[in-house]
Amino acid sequence: MGGTSVYRTLLSVCASLLICTTANASIVITGTRVVYPAGDKEVSVKISNKGRSPVLIQSWLDNGDTKAKPDQIKLPFVLTPPINRVEPDRGQTLRIRALPNNLPENKESVFWLNVLEIPAKPKDELKDTNNYLQVAFRSRIKFFYRPAGLKGSPKAAATDLQWSRVGSSLHVKNDSPYHISLVDVYVNGKKADGKMLAPFAEDNYALTVSAGSKVKAEYVNDYGAVIPLDITVQ
């Protein structure tokens, strides 16, 4: 995904730190994740300005490197508009179109959608006091590219996770072609933060278990809902 010097100009605002009073983000992204079925021409993402002033936003995709500059990222997607102004109480639709690519066809690929919000400059009377902060807010959500014809479903993938023990630790294995985002995992009242389990991957949790232990977990579905899981360790 290409870019221009405007990208660098917008990102440089993030480093503009002066004296702060209060600062709040105004831009809200509808949803907590985006799923792009490979057979679709494009997908759209709705954003809204809930603030009282217009904002300039810059949007781009990355492959997981939070420090990568938008104009240096090359991905097989086109996002429009990459830069636009959103008036207060108004919305904007981002459109993302896949280009011909060599992404894996036997499993999902995951990327990240970034929305950088540049607030309006303060009024002259406030700016003259040198007692303000102009901050750029960056929101980032998961973007899944889902090839056609994958076996099973995301819901079945979550419920079919294989939970076992390795030594005395909890082990989980994902035999599906889908990413599964676990939120929290509980054993005997003790909690471990969940992780995103990649397709055909496995992971361990530092929770002590034995055969027959009861595990409670949560995962996030395609619509951003948190769904509980009840597991018995094998």
Side-chain angles (χ1 to χ4, degrees), residues 10-28:
L10 290 179
L11 284 174
S12 67
V13 178
C14 293
S16 301
L17 298 181
L18 299 175
I19 300 174
C20 178
T21 53
T22 58
N24 296 289
S26 299
I27 291 295
V28 175

